[in-house]
Amino acid sequence: MPIQVNQEQLEFHLYNDSVSYIFRVLEKSRQLEHLYFGKRIHHRESFTHLIEREIRPSTNMFEGDHTSSMEHIKQEYPSYGSTDFRYPAHAILREDGSHITNFTYDSYRIIKGKKTLANLPATYVENEEEADTLEIELVDDVLRCRLILSYTIYQNRSVIARNAKFINEGTETYYLDQAMSMNVDLADDQFDMVHLQGAWAREGHVETKRLSKGIQSIYSNRGASSHVFNPFFALKRLNANEHQGEVYGFSLVYSGNFLAQVEVDTYNVSRVNMGINPYRFKWKLASSESFQTPECVMVYSDQGLNGMSQTFHKLYRERLVRGHWRDKVRPILINNWEATYFDFNEDKVLDIAKTARNLGIELFVLDDGWFGKRDDDTSSLGDWFEYEEKLPNGIDGLSEKVEALDMQFGLWFEPEMVCKDTKLFEEHPDWILSTPERRASHGRNQFVLDFTRGEVVDYIFDLMDKIISKSKISYIKWDMNRHITEAFSQSLPADQQGEVFHRYILGVYDLYERLIKKYPEILFESCAGGGARFDPGMLYYAPQTWTSDDTDAVERLKIQYGTSMVYPLSAIGSHVSAIPNHQVGRHASLDTRAAVAYFGTFGYELDITKLTETEQQKVKEQVAFFKEKRALIRDGEFYRLSTPFENNETTWMVVNEEKSEALVGYYKVLAKPNEAYNRVKLTGLDPDRLYEVNGETTYYGSELMNIGIILAGNYIDRADEYWGQEHPGDYQSRLFHLKALS
Ligand code: DGJ
């Protein structure tokens, strides 16, 4: 039984084989005290021996009591202003201007399985045996506000999923100024904070910094989770690395403004909280209304960062992604964006599709430029009807022709945006987010539709539905190419303008949900100028995400390495593109470009008709190779072996569950002369099995994991051959396919 309750002392212990989470109700204040989160410990009748209380100079809640300072108590969902001076998990503003809250324990309930979150993405269970949920109800008697803290523990995953819900049970209206999804006060500060940082075309860069006193945070205030920070961070013990040691991972299932912060106080307690960014957030809670926070997923690993990532990968692949495509291998696609940009017509795209089909590619995706009068990025977003000069037979005609090639057809949309030269804008100039009497800033010549408004979402749904329903569409790429400025909705009253960012993302989720309901077999790929919305919220709707607009293989080593901290390979959109690469001008070989793109959803984004015959033959072989290996890549355990952020060499691998097959990618950025001897040490294999590597040499798993694949040649008595060989040059890659011999 993974949730144990001591009824008398009101202590709660959630545990499974790998993780324990313990908290209790404080005797006097009836607030919640956090006791432990980490590796599974023994269950005991009571955990009162874990309480730390000493007399310190401080303010105290109760007269005559000198140990009731909340500043000195580790908590579950703290408030500010009644003896705790650290940053809180929530804040409520009353109409009288006061901010003090006092949520005290009311009751608990244990639910088999896991509830869904209304209108929000979340992890789920398929049957009730997979998880148990503990709901703690607290009440503020003055506000007559009920707070429900929800904790789900999965049976076989090292995961605790949390969220909070506020319900106004009184008659007064008040405002949520802050409503984080979770808070946990860890007992010490001996951690590095690891997170993903970036910008357009360089997303997912891993940053590691030692925790220090005060606040360290990552956040978004852009209306999307953004390129700059991902809604994820890890706290890893100072001696932990990719393979061993303790790591806590935190991931927010949300696509809008977020805040994740760690506050190390003067007693070295690390207060961690994560949720909707309180900056510019203010939610009006009138009588009988409720507010549901997004979900925060917390992972504990005692097997380093790889252990944490594998737990996230499995959970997100199996119990966050939903629907038709969840368990299916994804089609190998070709996208025309870097092949043609806006300059295409039906003949051109059919040429690309035909050539691609002959090489075994399964899905053709028509990107930006098929609608309105869109010849560049200055026009037409919002006019979701075909550009007849380019596509005289419409999307329906084109999609039929593509399907006749025995290929699937996919289409690009950017549903949340509008350009000023459109019918949409002409009819509804007030449908953009903009502040009265102020200029509305543009991004890429486009403006953001007010998705807080139901009628706007309805309108876009209808336009998209018209195109989709008359055509043969198997895939949709949903893009979003700018961030939100002058966030103000003309449809909301003054005291609800603080709701705009959250309502906006709820509108986006709503449109996704409606499209998925109507077209459950369409594969969605989310995108936001590359990876600006690569987050778990999006994965609930779109099983894969375009990782970055940087398609260069060497740059992708870092981007994909970082992205894999949280997200499974089945979600990581990765394409082979042209050389010189369009973002950095690099010339990586076709082999290396594919060797990097294999570790993702895999596809092509170049004018395949311009490749030489030899190159096309190579593409054919790559496509065949990926088809053979894609189930392994999709479902296997992924291990990062050496990091591109510190080394000239990057190595990663994927191993199937039975440990009978693996694929290793080894990449060397710059060629070096007369180098040190190099070996690729593997992990995750069966030490006792004999593996054939690339159909040639055999090694035991124990050799591969303790000695490694020897990269140096064996040139005994063959000096001429050695000196005569051609040097492979920069941007090399090697793949090792391992097959266990029965
Ligand atoms: C940004 C995306 O990331 C690209 O892949 C492409 O779809 C362009 N937008 C089209 O405008």
Coordinates of all heavy atoms in Angstrom, one line a residue, residues 196 230-232 251-252 309 312-313 316 534-536 539 562-572 638:
L196 N 18.0 23.9 -18.5 CA 18.2 24.1 -19.9 C 18.0 25.5 -20.3 O 16.9 26.1 -20.0 CB 17.2 23.2 -20.7 CG 17.2 21.7 -20.3 CD1 16.2 20.9 -21.1 CD2 18.6 21.1 -20.6
N230 N 13.7 26.1 -20.2 CA 12.6 25.1 -20.3 C 12.0 24.9 -18.9 O 12.7 25.1 -17.9 CB 13.3 23.8 -20.7 CG 12.3 22.8 -21.2 OD1 11.7 22.0 -20.5 ND2 12.1 22.8 -22.5
P231 N 10.7 24.6 -18.8 CA 10.1 24.4 -17.5 C 10.5 23.1 -16.8 O 9.7 22.3 -16.5 CB 8.6 24.4 -17.8 CG 8.5 24.0 -19.2 CD 9.7 24.4 -19.9
F232 N 11.8 23.0 -16.6 CA 12.4 21.9 -16.0 C 13.7 22.3 -15.3 O 14.4 23.2 -15.7 CB 12.8 20.9 -17.1 CG 14.0 20.0 -16.7 CD1 13.9 19.0 -15.8 CD2 15.3 20.4 -17.1 CE1 15.0 18.2 -15.4 CE2 16.4 19.6 -16.7 CZ 16.3 18.5 -15.9
S251 N 9.5 19.1 -13.2 CA 9.1 19.4 -14.6 C 7.6 19.9 -14.5 O 6.8 19.2 -13.9 CB 9.2 18.1 -15.4 OG 8.5 18.2 -16.6
L252 N 7.3 21.0 -15.1 CA 6.0 21.5 -15.1 C 5.2 21.2 -16.4 O 5.7 21.5 -17.5 CB 6.0 23.1 -14.9 CG 4.7 23.7 -14.5 CD1 4.3 23.4 -13.1 CD2 4.9 25.3 -14.6
S309 N 16.3 11.1 -16.2 CA 15.8 11.3 -17.5 C 15.0 10.1 -18.0 O 13.9 10.2 -18.6 CB 16.9 11.5 -18.5 OG 17.6 12.7 -18.2
F312 N 11.5 10.2 -16.5 CA 10.7 11.2 -17.3 C 10.3 10.7 -18.6 O 9.2 10.8 -19.1 CB 11.5 12.5 -17.5 CG 11.4 13.5 -16.3 CD1 12.6 14.0 -15.7 CD2 10.2 13.9 -15.8 CE1 12.5 14.9 -14.7 CE2 10.1 14.8 -14.8 CZ 11.3 15.3 -14.2
H313 N 11.3 10.1 -19.3 CA 11.0 9.6 -20.7 C 9.9 8.6 -20.7 O 8.9 8.7 -21.5 CB 12.2 8.9 -21.3 CG 13.4 9.8 -21.5 ND1 14.6 9.3 -21.9 CD2 13.5 11.1 -21.5 CE1 15.5 10.3 -22.0 NE2 14.8 11.4 -21.8
Y316 N 6.5 10.2 -19.6 CA 5.9 11.1 -20.6 C 5.5 10.4 -21.9 O 4.5 10.7 -22.6 CB 6.9 12.3 -20.9 CG 6.9 13.3 -19.8 CD1 7.8 14.4 -19.8 CD2 6.1 13.2 -18.7 CE1 7.8 15.3 -18.8 CE2 6.1 14.1 -17.7 CZ 7.0 15.2 -17.7 OH 7.0 16.1 -16.7
F534 N 8.7 23.6 -26.3 CA 9.1 22.2 -26.1 C 8.8 21.9 -24.6 O 9.7 22.1 -23.8 CB 10.5 21.8 -26.5 CG 10.7 20.4 -26.8 CD1 11.4 20.0 -28.0 CD2 10.1 19.4 -26.1 CE1 11.6 18.6 -28.3 CE2 10.3 18.0 -26.4 CZ 11.0 17.7 -27.5
D535 N 7.6 21.6 -24.3 CA 7.3 21.4 -22.9 C 6.3 20.3 -22.7 O 5.6 19.8 -23.7 CB 6.7 22.7 -22.3 CG 5.5 23.2 -23.0 OD1 4.5 22.5 -23.0 OD2 5.5 24.3 -23.5
P536 N 6.1 19.7 -21.5 CA 5.2 18.6 -21.3 C 3.8 18.9 -21.6 O 3.0 18.1 -22.0 CB 5.4 18.3 -19.8 CG 6.7 18.9 -19.4 CD 6.8 20.1 -20.2
L539 N 3.1 18.2 -25.1 CA 3.2 16.7 -25.4 C 1.9 16.0 -25.2 O 1.6 15.0 -25.7 CB 4.3 16.1 -24.6 CG 5.7 16.3 -25.0 CD1 6.7 15.4 -24.2 CD2 5.9 15.9 -26.5
G562 N 20.7 18.1 -24.5 CA 20.0 18.9 -23.4 C 18.5 18.5 -23.4 O 18.0 18.2 -22.3
T563 N 17.9 18.5 -24.5 CA 16.4 18.2 -24.6 C 16.1 16.8 -24.0 O 15.1 16.6 -23.3 CB 15.9 18.3 -26.0 OG1 16.2 19.6 -26.5 CG2 14.4 18.1 -26.1
S564 N 17.1 15.9 -24.2 CA 16.8 14.5 -23.6 C 16.9 14.5 -22.1 O 16.6 13.4 -21.5 CB 17.9 13.5 -24.2 OG 19.1 13.7 -23.5
M565 N 17.2 15.6 -21.5 CA 17.2 15.6 -20.0 C 15.8 15.2 -19.5 O 15.6 14.5 -18.5 CB 17.5 17.0 -19.4 CG 19.0 17.3 -19.4 SD 19.8 16.4 -18.1 CE 21.5 16.4 -18.7
V566 N 14.8 15.7 -20.2 CA 13.4 15.4 -19.8 C 12.6 14.6 -20.8 O 11.8 13.8 -20.5 CB 12.6 16.8 -19.6 CG1 11.4 16.5 -18.8 CG2 13.5 17.8 -19.1
Y567 N 12.8 14.9 -22.1 CA 11.9 14.5 -23.2 C 12.4 13.2 -23.9 O 13.6 13.1 -24.2 CB 11.6 15.6 -24.1 CG 11.2 16.9 -23.4 CD1 12.1 17.9 -23.1 CD2 9.9 16.9 -22.8 CE1 11.7 19.0 -22.4 CE2 9.5 18.0 -22.0 CZ 10.4 19.1 -21.8 OH 10.1 20.1 -21.1
P568 N 11.5 12.3 -24.1 CA 11.9 11.0 -24.8 C 12.2 11.2 -26.3 O 11.8 12.2 -26.9 CB 10.6 10.2 -24.7 CG 9.5 11.1 -24.5 CD 10.0 12.3 -23.8
L569 N 13.0 10.3 -26.8 CA 13.4 10.5 -28.2 C 12.2 10.5 -29.2 O 12.2 11.1 -30.2 CB 14.3 9.3 -28.7 CG 15.7 9.2 -27.9 CD1 16.6 8.2 -28.7 CD2 16.4 10.5 -27.8
S570 N 11.1 9.8 -28.7 CA 9.9 9.8 -29.6 C 9.3 11.2 -29.7 O 8.4 11.4 -30.5 CB 8.9 8.8 -28.9 OG 8.6 9.3 -27.6
A571 N 9.7 12.1 -28.9 CA 9.2 13.5 -29.0 C 10.1 14.5 -29.7 O 9.7 15.6 -30.0 CB 8.9 14.0 -27.6
I572 N 11.3 14.1 -29.9 CA 12.3 15.0 -30.4 C 12.4 15.1 -31.9 O 13.0 14.2 -32.6 CB 13.7 14.6 -29.8 CG1 13.7 14.8 -28.3 CG2 14.8 15.5 -30.4 CD1 14.9 14.4 -27.5
F638 N 17.3 5.4 -23.1 CA 18.3 6.3 -23.7 C 19.3 6.7 -22.7 O 19.0 7.0 -21.5 CB 17.6 7.6 -24.3 CG 18.6 8.5 -24.9 CD1 19.2 8.2 -26.1 CD2 18.9 9.8 -24.3 CE1 20.0 9.1 -26.7 CE2 19.8 10.7 -24.9 CZ 20.3 10.4 -26.1

